Amino acid sequence: MAKAEVSLAHLFRVFTKPEGTDSKLAQIEQHLSDNVSDFLSQHVVTQAIPLEEIEKTFSDHRVPEHPEFVSAHADALLNKLVKHSVNTYSPTFIGHMTSALPYFHLPLAKLLVGLNQNLVKIETSKAFTPLERQVLGMMHQLVYQRDGDFYDAYLHSANHSLGAFCSGGTIANMTALWVARNTMLKADGVFKGVAREGLASALRHYGYGNLGILSSKRGHYSLSKAVDLLGIGREQMLTIDCPTQRLSPERALKLAKEYEANGNKLLAIVGIAGTTETGHIDPLDELADVAQEVGCHFHVDAAWGGATLFSEKHRSLLNGIERADSLTLDAHKQMYVPMGAGMVLFKDPNSSNAVRHHAQYILREGSKDLGATTLEGSRNGMAMMVYASLHIFGREGYELLIDMSIEKAKAFAKMIDDHPQFELITSPTLSLLTYRLRPAFLANHPLLKHADVNALLDQLTVAVQKQQREAGKSFVSRTRLHTSTYHNDPITVFRVVLANPLTTEEDLQDILNEQLDIAQNLDIWKALLVQDKASA
Ligand SMILES: *Cc1c(COP(=O)(O)O)cnc(C)c1O
């Protein structure tokens, strides 16, 4: 491959924008975007190539010695990287929360990189800082519905914040629990607060054995990363199983009381608004009562389900969310914004002061620098993507999208329920559902309750899911769930997330047909038939 000359003159050219639309750069850009469009019109994966093969093209361990021409490198990226990426835009890619984006994000992404603002401080982000605060205010209003005076007072206040923008739900959950911890273990008399003296001194001062967090077993794994990082420890993550997929407020209260009776202090109860695995929503209003009775922080993880608030028809599913002290939202899920757009919101605009940090050259006291209360430092202007989406879709546009996804999930659930060879495991509350293959002869059959038959069905689900993924036409994910139907024993299920607005009912029918075809050619299917004969 032709190498570029090693000279400052060449490197300066790389930093300078070429003139004219027929410039080399414009050609490269056109070439790249044509290739991306071609890629996105194809199947989920374009070539059934094993991961190990791809690893071979990325196994050079030395930094390239010589500069390369941009055009040559662009071609290399297309061949090595783009070609083997996963087409998350495909209407038959229905296994994860990552899906197609509206086209307008491509030119906006160019603008974002073009401006390269850093939201950590006003000096590198002037107009972007007020924009980000406004976006946080809009989302805050959607949840907490305070009046105009409230937002006039706090939206741009240097000493308050309605929330924080961050890269995703994980950081949002961490920020919320960080604020909760520092608020509960605040300065008190001679004690200078956990942020200054550390957790050991704080527990000693307040006379607590341990600090704990309570959620259902369906809680996202980012919660256990958070308790680890905050020094609370994973064993203090109290999780309650939920065969109905929702956290029981009675059991939460009982466990909280037991925990505190042993000399510990419950820091927070986390309610989930849209679990990652099944899309269920915890009874938020009742959990807020429990948190109030226990005297702890109430956090709601609405990373997935928060966007349901745009829908007049469905927002009542989240009743009680307005009582959350803090709340996590991911705009890169049901708000169709590119990845890297998480938010944490605080009911009380003073909350984030519990984690405020100052530094001399940056984040000076009294400044409006967002970095003083965010976990992350340098951050890009992703808030602009949310801002643009909120305007381009409007609340009404988002409402249509949310309502449509839920309708589609219900239609798919009915399709599965009516199908003799499939079994619906969890019905959709939001646009998620789980199901599995279950040969028709097993329906209502006592054998279905047997552990070894369920073990075979688990193997069947795993084998079908893998083959379907490898065939590359469509993608459905899988997980293991405890359900009351099967004595709370875990079973393996297909998991579907219906986020892509372009997925049709015909696509869904095709996916079931493909799964059944794969299954009927497997030895496990035959083994199940033998079980049937034996029991007859
Ligand atoms: C996706 C998700 C998270 C984590 O968010 P990331 O953006 O992946 O960091 C946390 N909680 C729930 C309920 C989620 O759905």
Side-chain angles (χ1 to χ4, degrees):
M1 191 180 293
K3 292 289 174 197
E5 68 184 292
V6 187
S7 72
L8 279 176
H10 167 71
L11 296 179
F12 287 160
R13 275 198 298 279
V14 175
F15 276 95
T16 319
K17 186 178 179 299
E19 298 299 325
T21 47
D22 53 6
S23 72
K24 193 82 189 152
L25 182 71
Q27 286 170 22
I28 295 171
E29 234 180 295
Q30 192 59 47
H31 182 50
L32 284 174
S33 68
D34 288 350
N35 265 278
V36 169
S37 313
D38 285 352
F39 172 80
L40 295 179
S41 61
Q42 290 164 1
H43 284 147
V44 173
V45 284
T46 37
Q47 275 180 16
I49 173 169
L51 187 60
E52 292 72 25
E53 281 301 307
I54 299 176
E55 280 169 358
K56 282 185 195 151
T57 60
F58 293 105
S59 48
D60 201 343
H61 61 275
R62 279 157 314 187
V63 171
E65 186 69 13
H66 301 294
E68 218 172 85
F69 285 112
V70 175
S71 52
H73 186 66
D75 279 332
L77 286 178
L78 288 172
N79 282 325
K80 290 185 187 170
L81 189 70
V82 176
K83 199 160 89 189
H84 303 302
S85 293
V86 173
N87 180 5
T88 57
Y89 282 64
S90 166
T92 52
F93 183 85
I94 56 167
H96 284 303
M97 293 177 164
T98 308
S99 87
L101 296 175
Y103 75 91
F104 62 79
H105 281 303
L106 277 172
L108 288 184
K110 205 166 144 181
L111 190 63
L112 202 63
V113 176
L115 291 171
N116 198 30
Q117 303 288 290
N118 185 348
L119 280 279
V120 73
K121 56 186 184 289
I122 298 268
E123 289 170 359
T124 51
S125 72
K126 205 153 178 195
F128 272 67
T129 294
L131 172 142
E132 186 169 294
R133 282 179 163 272
Q134 186 189 8
V135 169
L136 289 166
M138 285 176 171
M139 299 313 293
H140 189 282
Q141 202 279 331
L142 191 69
V143 177
Y144 296 106
Q145 308 198 303
R146 303 294 302 266
D147 60 17
D149 290 346
F150 176 88
Y151 295 101
D152 286 348
Y154 296 116
L155 201 70
H156 294 294
S157 162
N159 305 316
H160 301 89
S161 59
L162 299 175
F165 226 88
C166 55
S167 64
T170 299
I171 304 292
N173 280 340
M174 275 175 192
T175 308
L177 294 175
W178 182 28
V179 163
R181 187 197 69 167
N182 287 14
T183 304
M184 181 171 278
L185 305 178
K186 59 180 186 288
D188 172 38
V190 289
F191 175 62
K192 299 191 213 94
V194 65
R196 296 188 61 186
E197 293 197 26
L199 197 59
S201 300
L203 294 179
R204 217 167 24 239
H205 173 80
Y206 281 101
Y208 301 145
N210 280 304
L211 214 54
I213 308 256
L214 189 153
S215 85
S216 87
K217 277 239 160 51
R218 295 273 92 85
H220 191 265
Y221 58 84
S222 55
L223 296 174
S224 60
K225 288 183 182 172
V227 289
D228 173 359
L229 208 62
L230 288 169
I232 291 168
R234 291 195 186 164
E235 287 188 5
Q236 310 309 323
M237 178 85 226
L238 316 178
T239 56
I240 298 184
D241 16 280
C242 47
T244 61
Q245 313 303 334
R246 300 172 83 221
L247 179 55
S248 144
E250 295 76 27
R251 293 187 59 196
L253 181 61
K254 185 163 172 280
L255 185 59
K257 287 200 161 153
E258 279 166 21
Y259 187 69
E260 298 210 333
N262 289 328
N264 305 309
K265 176 69 200 158
L266 193 67
L267 172 61
I269 292 177
V270 180
I272 308 159
T275 62
T276 317
E277 282 164 288
T278 66
H280 282 79
I281 301 167
D282 284 335
L284 304 177
D285 209 26
E286 288 92 326
L287 290 176
D289 289 338
V290 176
Q292 201 171 355
E293 183 168 345
V294 176
C296 71
H297 186 96
F298 181 43
H299 176 65
V300 172
D301 184 354
W304 171 258
T308 312
L309 294 170
F310 289 119
S311 164
E312 295 290 353
K313 187 165 167 199
H314 297 292
R315 75 168 281 150
S316 62
L317 290 169
L318 277 67
N319 275 352
I321 197 168
E322 68 288 349
R323 296 175 65 192
D325 296 305
S326 59
L327 176 116
T328 288
L329 264 177
D330 254 344
H332 60 222
K333 289 180 178 166
Q334 291 200 95
M335 287 175 72
Y336 303 98
V337 165
M339 231 159 318
M343 282 169 262
V344 56
L345 302 174
F346 300 110
K347 181 160 78 182
D348 178 351
N350 287 300
S351 292
S352 63
N353 288 327
V355 296
R356 188 173 284 278
H357 275 66
H358 293 290
Q360 272 312 311
Y361 74 102
I362 176 183
L363 319 178
R364 292 175 200 97
E365 267 187 89
S367 81
K368 295 193 175 183
D369 298 340
L370 295 165
T373 54
T374 55
L375 180 53
E376 292 165 322
S378 293
R379 278 187 309 111
N380 66 9
M382 278 309 284
M384 182 190 82
M385 308 304 234
V386 184
Y387 180 84
S389 297
L390 286 170
H391 284 86
I392 292 169
F393 287 125
R395 188 203 56 82
E396 291 174 343
Y398 274 125
E399 175 172 50
L400 283 176
L401 290 173
I402 295 284
D403 290 357
M404 185 184 66
S405 298
I406 296 179
E407 283 313 306
K408 208 184 297 172
K410 289 191 171 147
F412 192 34
K414 182 161 185 332
M415 215 184 277
I416 293 165
D417 223 16
D418 291 346
H419 199 301
Q421 313 272 25
F422 286 93
E423 179 183 19
L424 185 67
I425 302 294
T426 57
S427 316
T429 306
L430 300 176
S431 53
L432 275 83
L433 59 87
T434 62
Y435 67 103
R436 64 175 180 172
L437 276 150
R438 184 219 46 211
F441 65 83
L442 280 176
N444 306 318
H445 198 295
L447 256 187
L448 194 55
K449 300 278 175 184
H450 279 215
D452 18 339
V453 169
N454 273 308
L456 279 175
L457 288 174
D458 288 350
Q459 287 172 31
L460 184 71
T461 307
V462 172
V464 170
Q465 194 264 350
K466 278 191 182 159
Q467 273 200 29
Q468 187 173 23
R469 184 185 66 202
E470 278 157 20
K473 255 170 42 194
S474 51
F475 176 77
V476 167
S477 61
R478 64 167 203 267
T479 188
R480 269 173 86 69
L481 285 182
H482 296 255
T483 70
S484 41
T485 327
Y486 294 105
H487 322 292
N488 292 338
D489 289 336
I491 56 168
T492 304
V493 295
F494 297 120
R495 165 179 172 263
V496 161
V497 185
L498 289 171
N500 188 334
L502 304 180
T503 304
T504 62
E505 290 191 21
E506 204 183 331
D507 290 325
L508 298 172
Q509 193 64 61
D510 288 348
I511 286 173
L512 292 186
N513 292 342
E514 189 189 359
Q515 290 182 321
L516 188 57
D517 269 356
I518 297 174
Q520 286 176 332
N521 284 308
L522 290 169
D523 290 341
I524 307 166
W525 187 270
K526 289 162 200 156
L528 282 160
L529 291 173
V530 172
Q531 288 262 4
D532 179 42
K533 301 252 163 56
S535 75

